[in-house]
Structures are given as C-alpha cells and as structure tokens.
Amino acid sequence: MELNDSGRVVVSMDGGMPLQGELEEVDVDHLRDGNTALYLPTSIQKDYPTDSSPPPATLELANDVSRLLSSYLTNRWKDSDALFPSRSSDRITTEGVRNVVKKLATEAGVRPYLLDGSRGEPEQVTPHTLRHSVAYRMTTAEDGNELYDVRNRLRHRSITTTEQVYDHIRRR
C-alpha cells in the first residue's frame, strides 16, 4: 500500500471529511501547527456556496495521522500545491479517490456492514462508507462522545441531520 493512498484515507477519516468533494481541494498550505491540524476554508467544504455554508474549520489530527502526513510530505514523489496530487494532474480527481478507496478496501479485505446487518464485499466500500465509520467509531469505540461531537466532527449543519442518520447506533 502506498503511503500516498493510505494517507488520503487516514486524513479524511480522522477529520471526518467526505473523501469526495473536499479531499481533492486540500492544499499543503492548509496544514497547520506542524501538521497537527487541517484548515478547511469555507470554499472547499461540502454544500458551498449556499446561504448556510459552514464557516472555516480547523480540524485537529491524531498524532499518528500527523506523523503519517509529515513522513508523506518529506518523501512526496511530486511537488504540488495539492496535498494529494495525481500522477496525471496536479490534483487527485473524484474518480481517483473512489479508485483508491476500492483498492485499499479490497487489499485489506474490508467487509462493510450493510443496512440489513449482513456483511458486504470490499467492492461495496465507498468514500462515504468511510465517513459513516467515523461516526460509528466515535459512538461505539470511543468513550464520552455524544451526537453533538459526531455532528461537529462530520460538520453537519444541523444536529437533526446527525440524529436522523446516527441515533440508531447509540441505542445498540
């Protein structure tokens, strides 16, 4: 697995970012404080531009994510403003993100849970699946998180959105 591929997924998951739509627009200069935080200007956040566009956000990154990014930046194969360039252009594309996720899920043998409780196949893992896994991890594997914490991490505009999608997880 390339550090480049795993770095994309880890950064996205740790920040609760949609892998598609935001990750492609993140630049190296959006990293802050020795790669321990990621600044997301309003212009690259999902749902922009609307009357209720989210404000700029700075996401704290876990220590292992910070170390991974630092190593990646030190050994990067291509100099580009984009944090994650592609081999054929300055930025990874949406399709490129989907391909990375599918490749890594297949290599790791990830079998996602489906709505009916059964297990899916690696090919069914999508970028959005990984975003849902952040909420699941926060509500089941990490102590002290409330739905407000999930909302803040995923940057939903409304707690209602978070409740509609994730409240059932807390009741298990």
Side-chain angles (χ1 to χ4, degrees):
M1 174 183 336
E2 293 179 8
L3 178 61
N4 194 17
D5 290 345
S6 61
R8 293 173 203 179
V9 172
V10 169
V11 168
S12 180
M13 285 188 68
D14 191 60
M17 295 170 54
L19 269 166
Q20 293 178 189
E22 290 182 1
L23 191 63
E24 301 100 284
E25 299 301 320
V26 174
D27 287 336
V28 173
D29 67 0
H30 291 145
L31 292 169
R32 303 284 193 270
D33 303 324
N35 304 331
T36 63
L38 179 64
Y39 172 74
L40 293 177
T42 298
S43 61
I44 69 170
Q45 293 188 51
K46 75 176 200 166
D47 298 330
Y48 178 82
T50 65
D51 291 338
S52 59
S53 293
T58 300
L59 310 172
E60 291 185 38
L61 301 174
N63 289 338
D64 55 342
V65 174
S66 175
R67 284 191 298 276
L68 181 67
L69 277 171
S70 294
S71 175
Y72 163 69
L73 290 169
T74 300
N75 300 301
R76 217 157 71 129
W77 53 272
K78 184 176 189 177
D79 188 27
S80 168
D81 290 341
L83 182 58
F84 297 113
S86 76
R87 297 208 186 278
S88 59
S89 66
D90 286 337
R91 293 188 181 280
I92 189 168
T93 63
T94 299
E95 183 65 25
V97 171
R98 279 194 297 266
N99 291 340
V100 165
V101 169
K102 187 173 286 195
K103 173 185 159 206
L104 293 176
T106 300
E107 287 176 2
V110 173
R111 296 190 61 221
Y113 284 99
L114 304 177
L115 290 176
D116 65 4
S118 66
R119 300 298 293 268
E121 296 301 320
E123 298 79 30
Q124 293 173 288
V125 175
T126 66
H128 206 76
T129 305
L130 298 179
R131 183 169 161 86
H132 289 306
S133 71
V134 170
Y136 184 82
R137 182 190 74 216
M138 289 181 72
T139 56
T140 61
E142 296 176 2
D143 292 330
N145 286 320
E146 298 294 329
L147 283 179
Y148 278 98
D149 300 308
V150 174
R151 182 201 75 183
N152 291 339
R153 175 72 62 89
L154 300 182
R155 295 176 337 279
H156 290 150
R157 269 182 278 185
S158 165
I159 189 65
T160 304
T161 301
T162 311
E163 289 170 341
Q164 289 172 346
V165 178
Y166 300 112
D167 194 40
H168 70 282
I169 294 173
R170 294 187 323 155
R171 289 188 244 135
R172 288 186 180 195

